[in-house]
Coordinates of all heavy atoms in Angstrom, one line a residue:
V30 N -3.7 8.5 -14.5 CA -2.3 8.6 -14.4 C -1.6 7.4 -15.0 O -0.6 7.5 -15.7 CB -1.9 8.8 -12.9 CG1 -0.4 8.7 -12.7 CG2 -2.5 10.0 -12.3
V31 N -2.1 6.2 -14.7 CA -1.4 5.0 -15.2 C -1.5 4.9 -16.7 O -0.6 4.6 -17.4 CB -2.1 3.7 -14.6 CG1 -1.6 2.5 -15.2 CG2 -1.9 3.7 -13.1
E32 N -2.6 5.4 -17.3 CA -2.8 5.4 -18.7 C -1.8 6.3 -19.4 O -1.2 6.0 -20.4 CB -4.2 5.8 -19.1 CG -5.3 4.8 -18.8 CD -6.7 5.3 -19.1 OE1 -6.8 6.4 -19.7 OE2 -7.6 4.6 -18.8
R33 N -1.6 7.5 -18.8 CA -0.6 8.5 -19.3 C 0.8 8.0 -19.2 O 1.6 8.4 -20.0 CB -0.8 9.8 -18.5 CG -0.4 11.0 -19.3 CD -0.8 12.3 -18.5 NE -2.3 12.3 -18.2 CZ -2.9 13.1 -17.3 NH1 -2.1 13.9 -16.6 NH2 -4.2 13.0 -17.2
I34 N 1.1 7.2 -18.2 CA 2.5 6.7 -18.0 C 3.0 6.0 -19.3 O 4.2 6.0 -19.6 CB 2.5 5.8 -16.8 CG1 2.7 6.7 -15.5 CG2 3.7 4.8 -16.8 CD1 2.6 5.9 -14.2
S35 N 2.1 5.3 -20.0 CA 2.5 4.5 -21.2 C 3.2 5.3 -22.2 O 3.9 4.8 -23.1 CB 1.3 3.8 -21.8 OG 0.3 4.7 -22.3
T36 N 3.0 6.7 -22.2 CA 3.7 7.5 -23.2 C 4.9 8.2 -22.6 O 5.4 9.2 -23.2 CB 2.7 8.6 -23.7 OG1 2.3 9.5 -22.6 CG2 1.4 8.0 -24.3
F37 N 5.4 7.8 -21.5 CA 6.5 8.4 -20.8 C 7.8 8.3 -21.6 O 8.1 7.2 -22.1 CB 6.7 7.8 -19.4 CG 7.3 8.7 -18.4 CD1 6.6 9.5 -17.5 CD2 8.7 8.8 -18.4 CE1 7.2 10.3 -16.6 CE2 9.4 9.6 -17.4 CZ 8.6 10.3 -16.6
P38 N 8.5 9.4 -21.7 CA 9.8 9.3 -22.4 C 10.7 8.3 -21.8 O 10.7 8.1 -20.5 CB 10.4 10.7 -22.3 CG 9.2 11.6 -22.0 CD 8.3 10.7 -21.3
G39 N 11.5 7.6 -22.6 CA 12.5 6.6 -22.0 C 11.9 5.2 -22.1 O 12.7 4.3 -21.9
L40 N 10.6 5.1 -22.4 CA 10.0 3.7 -22.5 C 10.0 3.3 -23.9 O 9.9 4.1 -24.8 CB 8.6 3.7 -21.9 CG 8.4 4.1 -20.5 CD1 6.9 4.1 -20.2 CD2 9.2 3.2 -19.6
E41 N 10.3 2.0 -24.2 CA 10.2 1.5 -25.5 C 8.8 1.6 -26.0 O 7.8 1.4 -25.3 CB 10.7 0.1 -25.6 CG 12.1 -0.1 -25.2 CD 12.5 -1.6 -25.3 OE1 11.7 -2.4 -25.8 OE2 13.6 -1.9 -24.8
A42 N 8.7 2.1 -27.3 CA 7.3 2.3 -27.9 C 6.5 1.1 -27.8 O 5.2 1.1 -27.7 CB 7.5 2.8 -29.3
S43 N 7.1 -0.1 -28.0 CA 6.3 -1.3 -28.1 C 6.1 -1.9 -26.7 O 5.3 -2.9 -26.6 CB 7.0 -2.4 -28.9 OG 8.3 -2.6 -28.4
A44 N 6.7 -1.4 -25.7 CA 6.6 -2.0 -24.3 C 5.3 -1.6 -23.7 O 4.9 -0.4 -23.7 CB 7.8 -1.6 -23.5
S45 N 4.6 -2.5 -23.1 CA 3.4 -2.2 -22.3 C 3.8 -2.1 -20.8 O 4.6 -2.9 -20.3 CB 2.4 -3.3 -22.5 OG 2.9 -4.6 -22.0
V46 N 3.3 -1.0 -20.2 CA 3.7 -0.8 -18.8 C 2.6 -1.4 -17.9 O 1.4 -1.0 -18.0 CB 3.8 0.7 -18.5 CG1 4.1 1.0 -17.1 CG2 4.8 1.3 -19.4
V47 N 3.0 -2.4 -17.1 CA 2.0 -3.0 -16.2 C 2.4 -2.6 -14.8 O 3.6 -2.8 -14.3 CB 2.1 -4.5 -16.3 CG1 1.1 -5.2 -15.3 CG2 1.7 -4.9 -17.7
L48 N 1.5 -2.0 -14.0 CA 1.8 -1.6 -12.7 C 0.7 -2.1 -11.8 O -0.5 -2.0 -12.1 CB 1.8 0.0 -12.6 CG 2.8 0.7 -13.5 CD1 2.6 2.2 -13.6 CD2 4.2 0.4 -13.0
D49 N 1.1 -2.7 -10.6 CA 0.1 -3.3 -9.8 C 0.2 -2.9 -8.3 O -0.4 -3.5 -7.4 CB 0.0 -4.8 -9.9 CG 1.4 -5.5 -9.6 OD1 2.3 -4.8 -9.1 OD2 1.5 -6.7 -9.9
Q50 N 1.1 -2.0 -8.0 CA 1.4 -1.6 -6.6 C 1.5 -0.1 -6.5 O 2.2 0.5 -7.2 CB 2.6 -2.3 -6.0 CG 2.7 -2.3 -4.5 CD 3.3 -1.1 -3.9 OE1 4.1 -0.4 -4.5 NE2 2.9 -0.8 -2.6
L51 N 0.8 0.5 -5.5 CA 0.8 1.9 -5.3 C 1.1 2.2 -3.8 O 0.3 1.7 -3.0 CB -0.5 2.6 -5.7 CG -0.7 4.0 -5.3 CD1 0.3 5.0 -5.9 CD2 -2.2 4.5 -5.6
T52 N 2.1 3.0 -3.5 CA 2.3 3.5 -2.2 C 2.1 5.0 -2.2 O 2.8 5.7 -3.0 CB 3.6 3.1 -1.6 OG1 3.7 1.7 -1.5 CG2 3.9 3.8 -0.2
V53 N 1.3 5.5 -1.3 CA 1.1 7.0 -1.2 C 1.7 7.4 0.1 O 1.4 6.9 1.2 CB -0.4 7.4 -1.2 CG1 -0.6 8.9 -1.0 CG2 -1.1 6.8 -2.4
N54 N 2.7 8.3 0.0 CA 3.4 8.9 1.2 C 3.0 10.3 1.4 O 3.0 11.1 0.5 CB 4.9 8.8 1.0 CG 5.4 7.4 1.2 OD1 5.6 6.9 2.4 ND2 5.7 6.7 0.1
E55 N 2.7 10.7 2.6 CA 2.5 12.1 3.0 C 3.7 12.5 3.9 O 3.9 12.0 5.0 CB 1.2 12.3 3.7 CG 1.0 13.8 4.1 CD -0.2 14.0 5.0 OE1 -0.1 13.4 6.1 OE2 -1.1 14.7 4.7
Y56 N 4.4 13.5 3.4 CA 5.6 14.0 4.2 C 5.2 15.4 4.7 O 5.0 16.3 4.0 CB 6.8 14.2 3.3 CG 7.3 12.9 2.6 CD1 6.8 12.5 1.4 CD2 8.2 12.1 3.2 CE1 7.2 11.3 0.7 CE2 8.7 10.9 2.6 CZ 8.2 10.6 1.4 OH 8.6 9.4 0.7
P57 N 5.2 15.6 6.1 CA 5.1 16.9 6.6 C 6.3 17.7 6.3 O 7.4 17.2 6.0 CB 4.9 16.7 8.1 CG 4.6 15.2 8.3 CD 5.2 14.5 7.1
R58 N 6.2 19.1 6.5 CA 7.4 19.9 6.2 C 8.6 19.5 7.1 O 8.4 19.3 8.3 CB 7.1 21.4 6.5 CG 8.2 22.3 6.3 CD 7.9 23.7 6.5 NE 7.0 24.3 5.5 CZ 5.9 25.0 5.7 NH1 5.5 25.2 7.0 NH2 5.2 25.5 4.7
G59 N 9.7 19.3 6.4 CA 10.9 19.0 7.1 C 11.2 17.5 7.2 O 12.3 17.1 7.6
V60 N 10.3 16.6 6.8 CA 10.4 15.2 6.8 C 10.9 14.7 5.5 O 10.3 15.1 4.4 CB 9.1 14.5 7.3 CG1 9.3 13.0 7.1 CG2 8.8 14.9 8.7
G61 N 11.9 13.9 5.4 CA 12.4 13.4 4.2 C 12.3 11.8 4.1 O 11.5 11.2 4.7
L62 N 13.3 11.3 3.4 CA 13.3 9.8 3.1 C 14.7 9.3 3.2 O 15.6 9.9 2.7 CB 12.7 9.5 1.7 CG 12.5 8.1 1.3 CD1 11.5 7.4 2.2 CD2 12.1 8.0 -0.2
S63 N 14.9 8.2 4.0 CA 16.3 7.7 4.2 C 16.8 7.1 2.9 O 16.1 6.6 2.0 CB 16.3 6.6 5.3 OG 15.8 7.2 6.5

């Protein structure tokens, strides 16, 4: 997933995407985000 992100539209072609934090959220039905 991280490798594929480097080709994401809107990113500068020469820019390298460095990501070092991942949060996984599980939302039951009806639960949202403030």
Side-chain angles (χ1 to χ4, degrees):
V30 173
V31 173
E32 290 176 9
R33 203 172 306 164
I34 279 176
S35 63
T36 63
F37 204 95
L40 302 179
E41 296 181 9
S43 59
S45 59
V46 180
V47 178
L48 302 168
D49 60 8
Q50 197 275 333
L51 165 65
T52 294
V53 182
N54 281 282
E55 182 193 56
Y56 302 88
R58 178 180 288 131
V60 174
L62 184 64
S63 300

